Amino acid sequence: MTSLLLQITTTPVDTTAVAAAGGEAAETSVSLFDLAINGGWAMYPLALLSLAALYIFFERYLTLKKAAKNPEGFNDRIKSMVLAGDINGAKMLCAQANTPVSRMISKGVSRIGSPLKNIETSIENVGKIEISRLERNLSALATIAGAAPMLGFLGTVTGMIGAFIAIAQAEGSVSPKLLSSGIYEAMVTTATGLIIGLPAYVGYNYLVSKIDSIVHSMEYSSIEFLDLLQEPQL
């Protein structure tokens, strides 16, 4: 037993092998920047798509956030002004609010005295214009959500073709390093396309839900205003 312990304690450690293993581990680590550079031509349009998606999302988010903020008690104040015959005051209140709902009601207020059908048609026309403004550039965001993964996959296919061409042109045996490097560089574009496409898809659906909420508020306010015009005291 004593001789066995002496053999264990006197066994030398091959520090050279450990250092070499550490050096190989350091060499195999690749930064995200290096992956982006090695991703090929598809990384450039993907970068543009990512910037466009970010711009569209935040621009629409701020616009919808502003559009959803109606003054507190806006409908009740409009009702009281109309019932009191203060048409100019109602118009001023709508102009100060400056939201899709207020612009619809402002058009209805300006048409008071006309047949109810004409007022309803005017409000509907303004509502269609406001909805079109709310949905601006959303189709582009939806396109980015679908096109980014497809563009990334296209970059992977072209990258794999280039890798196999390099393998075919290599003389003698093909090194595993040549094969693996070509494959991982090609797969970078697919991963990048998914990283761009998935958040763009989620962001698109989030904005659509915000628009639906605003449209519901517009419909409710317009119906309430038309009901007000049909009350007996008017």
Side-chain angles (χ1 to χ4, degrees):
M1 179 63 70
T2 304
S3 60
L4 180 60
L5 291 174
L6 290 174
Q7 291 178 3
I8 293 175
T9 55
T10 56
T11 301
V13 178
D14 191 354
T15 56
T16 304
V18 174
E24 291 178 359
E27 291 177 358
T28 55
S29 62
V30 181
S31 65
L32 293 177
F33 180 77
D34 292 334
L35 288 176
I37 293 299
N38 295 328
W41 63 270
M43 297 299 292
Y44 297 101
L46 286 173
L48 294 177
L49 289 179
S50 65
L51 294 176
L54 287 172
Y55 171 78
I56 293 172
F57 175 79
F58 285 108
E59 188 272 334
R60 284 293 89 192
Y61 173 78
L62 295 176
T63 300
L64 297 178
K65 185 178 180 180
K66 181 180 178 181
K69 286 186 176 180
N70 287 310
E72 187 177 355
F74 174 78
N75 292 335
D76 294 334
R77 294 171 65 184
I78 289 292
K79 181 177 180 179
S80 62
M81 288 180 178
V82 171
L83 291 177
D86 188 7
I87 304 302
N88 291 330
K91 290 181 180 179
M92 291 180 60
L93 179 61
C94 292
Q96 291 173 359
N98 194 24
T99 62
V101 171
S102 67
R103 287 189 283 269
M104 286 178 55
I105 301 303
S106 177
K107 177 61 70 172
V109 170
S110 65
R111 292 292 188 269
I112 289 179
S114 302
L116 186 62
K117 185 63 178 178
N118 294 342
I119 298 176
E120 182 179 358
T121 301
S122 300
I123 292 176
E124 288 179 355
N125 291 336
V126 173
K128 292 177 182 178
I129 295 173
E130 294 298 331
I131 293 174
S132 177
R133 290 176 178 174
L134 294 175
E135 294 177 344
R136 184 180 301 167
N137 293 330
L138 274 189
S139 59
L141 185 60
T143 301
I144 292 174
M150 296 177 65
L151 182 60
F153 182 69
L154 177 61
T156 295
V157 172
T158 56
M160 292 292 290
I161 292 173
F164 283 111
I165 289 176
I167 292 171
Q169 294 176 348
E171 297 181 0
S173 60
V174 178
S175 65
K177 183 177 181 180
L178 176 63
L179 179 61
S180 61
S181 62
I183 291 175
Y184 88 73
E185 289 176 7
M187 295 298 290
V188 167
T189 57
T190 294
T192 304
L194 291 173
I195 290 172
I196 297 172
L198 288 176
Y201 179 73
V202 174
Y204 169 78
N205 284 282
Y206 173 77
L207 294 177
V208 168
S209 66
K210 295 285 289 184
I211 292 176
D212 289 341
S213 177
I214 296 173
V215 170
H216 176 74
S217 177
M218 293 167 61
E219 293 175 347
Y220 175 80
S221 297
S222 62
I223 292 173
E224 192 175 51
F225 178 76
L226 292 173
D227 289 341
L228 169 65
L229 298 182
Q230 299 180 76
E231 291 184 0
Q233 57 268 33
L234 293 179

